[in-house]
Each structure stands twice: as C-alpha cells, then as structure tokens.
Amino acid sequence: MESTSVPSPQPASAAAGASIDYDDDIVKKFLLASVLWGGVGMLVGVIVALQIVWWPANLGLPWTTFGRLRPLHTNAVIFAFAGNVCFTGIYYSMQRLLRTRMYSDRLSALHFWGWQLIIVLAAITLPLGLTQSKEYAELIWPIDVLIAVVWVIFAINFFGTIAIRRVKHLYVAIWFYMSFVITIAVLHIVNSLAVPATFLRSYPIYAGLTDALVQWWYGHNAVGFFLTTPFLGLMYYFLPKAAERPVYSYRLSIIHFWALVFIYIWTGPHHLLYSALPDWAQTLGMVFSVMLLAPSWGGMLNGLLTLRGAWDRLRTDAVLKFMVVAVTFYGMSTFEGPMMSIRAVNGLAHYTNWVIGHVHSGALGWVGMISFGMIYWLVPRLWGRPLADPDGPTRHFWLGTIGIVLYIVSMWAAGLMEGVQWRSVNEAGQLAHPIFLDIVHRLAPFYWLRLIGGTMYLVGAVMMALNIWRTIRGPAPDAAGPEPVPAPAQ
Amino acid sequence: MSNHEANRNPTPATASDAGYGRWHRRVLENRGGLFALLTTIGISIGGIVEILPMYTAEWGPETADWVSPYTPLEVAGRDIYIREGCYLCHSQMVRPMRSEILRYGEWTRAAEYMYDRPFLLGSRRLGPDLQRVGGKYPDAWHYEHMRDPRSVSPGSVMPPYPWLLERTIDPEDIRASVVALRRAGTPYTDEDVAGVPDALRTQGEGIVQRLAQAGIETTWDREIVALIAYLQRLGVDGRRHLEQQNAGGTP
Ligand code: HEM
Ligand code: HEM
C-alpha cells in the first residue's frame, strides 16, 4: 500500500510497481522486534560491563551473575537484534528486488513468531544456567532443534520467493542473503550435533580440540555469515537507495562476493593460535585470515565509492552518516582482524580486552550503525509519515559514534596493557607482574570509560526507539498524498 | 543519469561496467538454483579440509593413555562449571610461552583435552588460567573462595557463589550424563555406569573429610563438593606424566 509510493528499485515503470502488493506488515514486525531486542541486549551489555568493574553488581543471585548474563548479552545482540535487523532488510528489499510478494505469508508469519519464541526461550534458559557453553551456540538442544526448524521455514520462504520472482537477474544483495541462509544452516546443524543426556543437557559428539575447532569454525563464521554477509547485502541495497546512486562497481561485487564466501570458512583456527591444535590447521587459519583482508576491503570500497559525488549530502543526511561510519568501521575491524590473526600478534592480543575492542568495533560500529541507518530510512517509508523528531537521528548518530570511540579506544588500551604485563619477564627471569589481581586492578579506569561509552550507545538506541514509537503513534499520514515521503532527517 | 532515475535503479550498471557481466549473468546470476549450489560448494570446502583430518591419527590431535576420563563427581562438577559460566572468565589453556609457563605451569598438551566434551578452552582471561589449578590449593581454600572470593583473595573481582554450598546433586541425573558421554565416545564401562552413585559418594566423602579437617562441615552431595573435585582434577594427569618424563621414568 504505502510501499507503492516508494520508488521501485528495479527499472520498472511506476505503474508496474503499483500492481504488486508487497507484504510490508511483516517488515514492520521485524523492525519493531529489532528495536525492542536491541535495547534489551545492549542494556544487558551495560550491566555486564558494570559487573566486570564492580563485582557487587552480580547481585548475589544465581541468575544475575556475570557467567549467566554475558551469554544473554551476546545472544540478544547477535540473534535477537542483528538477526531481526537482517530479516527486516531482507523481507523489505527482497520483495522489491524480485518484484514479488514473499512466497508465502504463512511461512513469513511462522518465521517471525518462531524466531521471537526462540529469543524468549533464550532469555529464560540462559539466566537459569541452561547452556551448552559453546560461544554463540549456548542454547540447549531442544532450542537448537527449534532453530533448525525455523531456519528451514525461512529458507523455503526465501528460495520460494526467488523461484516466483518477476525479475530475471539476481541483484548482488540477494547473493549475500543467500550465503547467509545456506551457511548458517550448515554451521548450526554441524556444530550442534550432540548426544542428549536429559531434556535440558547434552554432550557434543566431538571431543577436545576437535570440538574446539568445530566450534570456532562455527563461531568465526557466525561473525562472517551472521554479522557480515547479510549486512553487506543490506549495504548493497540500502546504501545506494539512501545515496540515490548506483553501486560503484558490479565487477568488484562479483569478485569480492565469491572470494569472501570461499575464504571466510577457513579462518576459524585463528581463535586457537598457540593452542595444542595441530600446527597445520593453525597455519591454514592464519593464512586465510590474512587473505580475507582483500575481499573485505573490496566490499568496503564498493560501499564507500558508491557515494562518489554525493559526499556533500553526508553533512545533512543522517541516514548516510550512519551508513558511511558503519562501512568505515567495517573496514577498520576487517583490517584489525587479519593483523590479530598473525601468530605473534595474537600471542599478545588473545585473552585480552583487545579482542573485546575488536569485537565491538565490528558490532557497534559496523552492525549497529548500519542497522540504525537502515531503520531510520525505513520507518518513514513503511509507516508513510515523517519521523516525529526529525533531528533525532543526528543526535543519535553523534551519541553513538562518540560512544563507540570511547568503548574501543579504552579496550585497546586495556588490552595492550594487560597483554604486555602478563608476559613481561624481568632480568632475573621472573614475572615482572606476578600477581594477577594487580593487573586486573589497573584496568579499572578503562572499564569505567567503556561503561560510559556503552551507556551513550545504549541511550542513543533508546532515543531511536522512543522516536519510532512517537512516529507510529502520531497522526496518520495525509490521505491525499501518495507523494514520496521526505528523507528522514532534514 | 539523473538522481531520480538512479534512485529507481540501484543495480550496479555503472559506466565503467558497461558491456561487462554478460556471460556470468546468463550462466549464473539468472539462475537461483545453480547460484545456491555453487555457494554451498564454496562454503563447504574449507570446513571439510580442516575438520575431517581431525579424525585421522596422522593429522588430528594426539591422544594418550596417561589421560583418564572424568569420574562421575568430576562430570557433575564440570556441569556446574559450565552452568555458572566460569569459562567466560577463566581459560583452560596454557600457551607454550615462557611467561605463561612461569605463571601457570607446563603448557597444555593436546591429549589432555581428549575427554573434554564440550571443550572449555575459553577465549577470555578476566581471571587467571585454570588449566593447571588442580592441586594448587587445598580443598578448603576452594570452599571459602567460592563462598566469598575476597575471604581468601583480598581485592578479588570474582563473583561469590554461595548457593553452591547449599544445593545438592542428583545421582540419577549424573548417571544420565555418564551414559550420554559414553554414547558420545568416552570409554566408560558398564560397571562405571552402574557404579555412579557409589563413586559419587566415595569421592565426595574424601573431600568432605578433608574439609572437616579444616573445620568445614558439609555433605558429599553438595554442589560445592563436585566443583572442588573437578577443579582439583584440572591439569593433574598431564603434570604427573610430564614430571615422570622429566625424571627419566617411562612416560
Ligand atoms: C551498549 C552497548 C554494548 C555494551 C556496553 C557491551 C558490553 C559488552 C561486554 C562488557 C562484554 C563482555 C566483555 C568481556 O568478556 O570482557 C561484551 C561481549 C560481547 N559483545 Fe557487547 N556490548 C554492547 C553492544 C554489543 C552489540 C550491539 C553487539 C553485537 C551486535 C555485541 C556483541 C558482543 C559479543 C559478540 C561479545 C563477546 C565477545 C567475545 O567473546 O570475545 N555487543 N559486550
Ligand atoms: C577480515 C575479517 C576479520 C578477521 C580476520 C578477524 C579476526 C579475528 C581474530 C584473530 C580474533 C581474535 C581471536 C582470539 O584471539 O581470541 C577475532 C575475534 C572476534 N571477532 Fe573478528 N575478525 C574479522 C572481522 C570481524 C568483524 C567484521 C566482526 C564483527 C562484526 C568480528 C567479530 C569478532 C568477534 C565477535 C570475536 C570474538 C570471538 C570470541 O572470542 O568470542 N570480526 N577476530
């Protein structure tokens, strides 16, 4: 309905666009879910950050201790926030790129409610201590089965939509979405294979270092195919739309897509450097991680150069601000990652806050910022009215950006410091800092700084939620106007 | 191209790409099924090449006969360690670096993990590595430390876990774990499975006695006892083996 007032992304006449009844209801649902879970997940992040520097925040209750809330944070921000954001963007852009409604409304609804059910179950089981302990794959086996079922429902809907498309060519965003759908299914199923002991507990079929390798094959590619490829797909759709420019280079997108999906899978062992994992596997992981720099930067350049000739709009358009900063952080974290995969560098960085800094330059900088940009672009179009507070996005942008900088700079400093102090040995051949807790105490100022940065980021996200709430609850759009909605900010 | 047109069409047809991209469009990008198939192949190769060799003797992690499976009480303790998320602050992997060996002890050998399901190497050190913590402190130290870390480690930032002192373990539940672990590949015998309740009690009573000598009263079925059994076990097989080796004895 409202959607027909938005320009179709394909070279089609307005009349042809008008004849398709896109399902925007499901897009709205996913969007609101991402805003809600984003707030929850980041709030838990802030709580966890406080617990690290002030232990009484563990509250002395089993279900609120750090060891139980931290997995809640990672699951909430990755699968609830980032996941719902991906589905929002995919359901919106896919229908338009393929010029068809989704294959099945019923599957769309099952996907939506199934996914939210998984999130609620996660929010209940993790604080209860029901976990398999594998990072980003903590959920107990019955929930794992449910995830597989919901994912298959999504996949049928996804490929069904491709099958009934009215456009022959698959635009590059669709390739990235496809790699997301396929790879997450493979990773999830293989990594979750386990023997149940009870309804709530199971043990993996892999043991020891093999289990570790399978887990980090999964873990790194959760980063690669949950936090990277679908978001690159979103970048390929929403950045050109927001910039009103075609993508810089088609050739580059082909090369970097195939290189990225092929190389990513090999890099898992960079999480196990200096472990007793056989050397050949560690070396493979390191070499492929360094190679991954090239396709990653291919994607970044394609995104940034899409703005050529439109840089002046950055000053006024908050959506573009979010997206450009996101792509820049993507470039930064994919430069940092390959460096950290070099054995000698990893020897210093591993186990330290440096890794946490790296994680959040990708998570807050890339995933978070591109999500906010997309959401601010979508809300006026989906609900057919301007944002209640048109300056909100700009304020959110600055709050978020300063928050990220505080977060990652403090974590880099903390990580370098602890890394150096753990390893330094004096002339007598003894540890220069033999007392572990002394080093921990020196990190406190950095942790407080991170807490401030994280809180700013959270406040920005809450402001966005309130702005969207007021927009939706605000007066209905002027019935007379099928005109395109104004850009969100200024 | 005017902005307006560009907005309608953000497909990647830029000037520099004109005329490019004909064949792969026809062969590939117009065909959803084939594209999906090639993507699947592309993302499978790396995993297959890295994971399958782990199951060969030549390329996989080594195993050894000087490592023994966890006892039922240690299995219970390990489950508690997982439940409380201790691995999010504590790694279990001493790297082969001088400073790590000085701080924690012998670096970790591959075989020491052979019965670890799931693995608990950890990726973060908010607290010290625990791979060789077995035998480092008396049982009573752990008891007090878990009750209130600051009572034995002034200035610690570790959370207290007082509920472990109260809650009890359920032998039938642990038997189910041992059965599942055996099905997954850990070499427990039929007697091991049948003897789970006795084994729990025997090992637990040993810890209870040592705690009693330090003036602490508890029972063998408390969670804290299982956790202590697990912690005291960490890195012990490996250390004993390496000491024997260094002493020139048969490995
Ligand atoms: C308000 C913002 C946030 C704050 C304050 C925050 C805080 C934290 C803290 C304190 C940790 C634990 C660090 C440690 O163990 O030392 C953590 C871990 C993590 N966070 Fe966040 N976080 C935030 C947002 C996000 C977002 C938006 C994402 C992802 C999209 C994310 C992804 C992760 C991941 C993946 C980890 C685990 C890292 C690892 O295991 O190395 N966080 N976060
Ligand atoms: C070329 C790309 C990248 C490479 C080669 C890379 C490499 C690495 C390395 C070496 C580590 C440290 C492992 C350790 O010592 O424990 C790491 C951790 C991590 N990275 Fe990246 N990174 C890349 C991009 C990204 C991006 C874009 C994101 C986020 C969106 C990200 C998220 C993470 C997370 C969540 C972890 C922590 C995993 C854990 O320990 O739980 N990475 N990465």
Side-chain angles (χ1 to χ4, degrees):
Chain A
M1 292 284 165
E2 310 93 71
S3 59
T4 53
S5 65
V6 180
S8 154
Q10 285 292 330
S13 72
S19 65
I20 300 168
D21 182 18
Y22 294 130
D23 181 5
D24 281 343
D25 204 47
I26 191 76
V27 184
K28 289 180 185 172
K29 284 206 186 89
F30 275 120
L31 188 146
L32 294 176
S34 9
V35 174
L36 173 70
W37 296 125
V40 173
M42 290 173 209
L43 176 66
V44 180
V46 169
I47 294 171
V48 170
L50 178 65
Q51 291 178 331
I52 288 176
V53 58
W54 190 59
W55 67 268
N58 286 286
L59 299 180
L61 301 169
W63 34 89
T64 51
T65 44
F66 176 80
R68 299 194 187 184
L69 287 191
R70 190 190 191 269
L72 184 63
H73 164 60
T74 54
N75 278 271
V77 287
I78 297 177
F79 299 111
F81 170 61
N84 277 310
V85 165
C86 294
F87 302 140
T88 306
I90 289 175
Y91 276 84
Y92 180 87
S93 62
M94 184 159 188
Q95 300 187 65
R96 285 158 175 85
L97 284 168
L98 303 179
R99 305 223 315 108
T100 172
R101 197 179 169 90
M102 288 306 292
Y103 171 65
S104 155
D105 285 1
R106 181 164 306 165
L107 290 182
S108 300
L110 275 175
H111 176 201
F112 177 80
W113 291 110
W115 195 255
Q116 311 315 314
L117 175 66
I118 291 164
I119 295 168
V120 170
L121 290 176
I124 295 170
T125 54
L126 291 174
L128 287 176
L130 300 171
T131 172
Q132 299 197 43
S133 87
K134 292 182 163 195
E135 270 187 89
Y136 322 127
E138 287 93 348
L139 301 176
I140 51 174
W141 71 268
I143 306 182
D144 273 348
V145 173
L146 185 61
I147 294 173
V149 171
V150 173
W151 203 264
V152 169
I153 289 172
F154 172 42
I156 296 172
N157 208 14
F158 180 88
F159 284 106
T161 310
I162 289 182
I164 59 166
R165 70 187 189 273
R166 302 220 185 94
V167 174
K168 210 164 164 61
H169 185 247
L170 296 174
Y171 177 61
V172 42
I174 306 278
W175 316 345
F176 281 98
Y177 301 158
M178 203 190 272
S179 71
F180 165 60
V181 178
I182 294 171
T183 314
I184 294 300
V186 173
L187 294 171
H188 172 70
I189 291 169
V190 174
N191 188 44
S192 302
L193 293 177
V195 181
T198 66
F199 186 66
L200 303 175
R201 198 164 66 247
S202 61
Y203 297 95
I205 65 164
Y206 319 99
L209 287 164
T210 307
D211 191 35
L213 179 69
V214 172
Q215 154 60 21
W216 284 115
W217 163 81
Y218 165 91
H220 189 76
N221 292 299
V223 169
F225 290 88
F226 215 102
L227 300 180
T228 299
T229 54
F231 285 89
L232 282 170
L234 300 184
M235 175 190 90
Y236 270 112
Y237 183 83
F238 289 98
L239 184 60
K241 292 294 274 182
E244 303 183 337
R245 287 275 183 295
V247 160
Y248 171 66
S249 166
Y250 183 38
R251 190 185 325 221
L252 187 54
S253 65
I254 297 172
I255 296 168
H256 101 95
F257 172 79
W258 287 107
L260 198 77
V261 294
F262 178 73
I263 295 175
Y264 236 114
I265 285 288
W266 298 74
T267 57
H270 69 217
H271 292 270
L272 297 168
L273 297 177
Y274 284 107
S275 75
L277 185 74
D279 274 340
W280 64 267
Q282 295 191 32
T283 307
L284 269 183
M286 169 171 127
V287 169
F288 275 84
S289 301
V290 173
M291 281 165 32
L292 193 56
L293 175 66
S296 302
W297 275 43
M300 173 192 69
L301 290 176
N302 224 1
L304 288 182
L305 291 175
T306 295
L307 284 165
R308 72 206 175 288
W311 288 105
D312 54 307
R313 292 198 30 221
L314 262 188
R315 247 174 296 141
T316 50
D317 189 338
V319 167
L320 279 183
K321 281 196 182 89
F322 276 111
M323 290 187 174
V324 165
V325 163
V327 176
T328 310
F329 273 110
Y330 176 65
M332 239 177 65
S333 49
T334 55
F335 177 77
E336 185 183 26
M339 296 304 116
M340 286 166 51
S341 307
I342 298 169
R343 253 172 90 91
V345 181
N346 192 268
L348 181 66
H350 190 53
Y351 291 140
T352 71
N353 280 299
W354 182 355
V355 176
I356 304 302
H358 162 72
V359 168
H360 289 86
S361 88
L364 304 178
W366 160 239
V367 171
M369 294 305 253
I370 200 154
S371 305
F372 299 144
M374 180 192 86
I375 289 171
Y376 280 126
W377 188 87
L378 277 175
V379 165
R381 287 168 174 81
L382 287 172
W383 276 274
R385 61 192 78 168
L387 283 176
D389 177 2
D391 294 332
T394 307
R395 256 179 280 129
H396 179 184
F397 171 80
W398 287 112
L399 212 56
T401 306
I402 297 170
I404 299 173
V405 172
L406 285 179
Y407 193 124
I408 61 184
V409 171
S410 57
M411 288 302 97
W412 281 335
L416 275 177
M417 198 182 92
E418 64 185 332
V420 168
Q421 297 192 356
W422 284 347
R423 62 158 55 179
S424 54
V425 173
N426 61 23
E427 290 100 76
Q430 296 156 329
L431 290 171
H433 305 276
I435 309 205
F436 189 89
L437 265 180
D438 287 352
I439 307 175
V440 172
H441 290 148
R442 283 183 210 120
L443 300 173
F446 301 108
Y447 285 144
W448 286 114
L449 214 58
R450 183 256 302 269
L451 186 66
I452 296 172
T455 306
M456 290 174 70
Y457 197 86
L458 170 68
V459 169
V462 171
M463 277 168 40
M464 176 180 80
L466 293 177
N467 198 355
I468 293 173
W469 179 251
R470 282 172 51 212
T471 307
I472 300 173
R473 301 301 302 272
D478 190 358
E483 269 114 318
V485 186
Q490 294 97 27
Chain B
M1 194 187 267
S2 77
N3 271 0
H4 185 65
E5 277 167 293
N7 188 28
R8 289 177 168 280
N9 180 19
T11 50
T14 65
S16 68
D17 283 330
Y20 181 76
R22 283 292 144 85
W23 65 268
H24 47 81
R25 270 185 181 239
R26 217 172 36 242
V27 174
L28 196 51
E29 289 147 26
N30 289 353
R31 300 199 194 165
L34 185 64
F35 200 97
L37 181 69
L38 282 181
T39 306
T40 311
I41 295 172
I43 59 115
S44 300
I45 296 172
I48 292 170
V49 172
E50 285 180 353
I51 295 169
L52 287 188
M54 290 291 141
Y55 287 93
T56 65
E58 195 180 343
W59 298 88
E62 65 215 50
T63 54
D65 55 8
W66 43 264
V67 187
S68 46
Y70 295 103
T71 65
L73 194 63
E74 290 156 8
V75 167
R78 202 167 191 271
D79 282 341
I80 295 164
Y81 187 93
I82 290 170
R83 184 187 76 200
E84 300 300 343
C86 311
Y87 61 91
L88 291 165
C89 281
H90 293 291
S91 55
Q92 290 188 15
M93 176 180 111
V94 183
R95 294 179 289 178
M97 299 171 176
R98 190 152 74 118
S99 57
E100 300 240 328
I101 294 165
L102 283 172
R103 194 180 292 278
Y104 302 117
E106 273 292 345
W107 57 277
T108 314
R109 308 303 204 269
E112 297 186 62
Y113 297 124
M114 63 188 277
Y115 297 121
D116 280 14
R117 287 172 206 267
F119 79 99
L120 290 173
L121 272 69
S123 62
R124 190 69 186 92
R125 273 186 192 155
L126 283 156
D129 191 278
L130 295 183
Q131 210 271 331
R132 299 245 176 257
V133 85
K136 181 175 172 184
Y137 300 105
D139 292 351
W141 187 93
H142 287 294
Y143 188 94
E144 291 303 328
H145 187 245
M146 297 311 296
R147 184 183 59 78
D148 175 13
R150 279 145 291 278
S151 65
V152 286
S153 226
S156 175
V157 297
M158 179 167 141
Y161 293 90
W163 54 89
L164 300 181
L165 277 53
E166 307 298 329
R167 290 200 193 176
T168 55
I169 54 172
D170 169 13
E172 276 318 302
D173 203 41
I174 297 161
R175 195 209 299 270
S177 291
V178 171
V179 169
L181 282 166
R182 177 159 81 156
R183 212 170 283 154
T186 312
Y188 292 116
T189 60
D190 289 340
E191 293 85 75
D192 289 337
V193 174
V196 164
D198 290 340
L200 287 172
R201 180 184 277 272
T202 314
Q203 194 181 359
E205 292 291 5
I207 294 171
V208 168
Q209 269 170 25
R210 283 194 292 280
L211 289 175
Q213 283 160 16
I216 297 167
E217 254 187 73
T218 186
T219 52
W220 66 271
D221 59 352
R222 302 288 158 141
E223 287 190 346
I224 184 74
V225 172
L227 184 62
I228 291 174
Y230 173 63
L231 290 173
Q232 295 291 30
R233 166 63 194 280
L234 283 173
V236 170
D237 284 354
R239 187 165 56 219
R240 191 179 304 130
H241 167 75
L242 293 166
E243 273 165 11
Q244 273 174 14
Q245 220 177 22
N246 292 345
T250 37

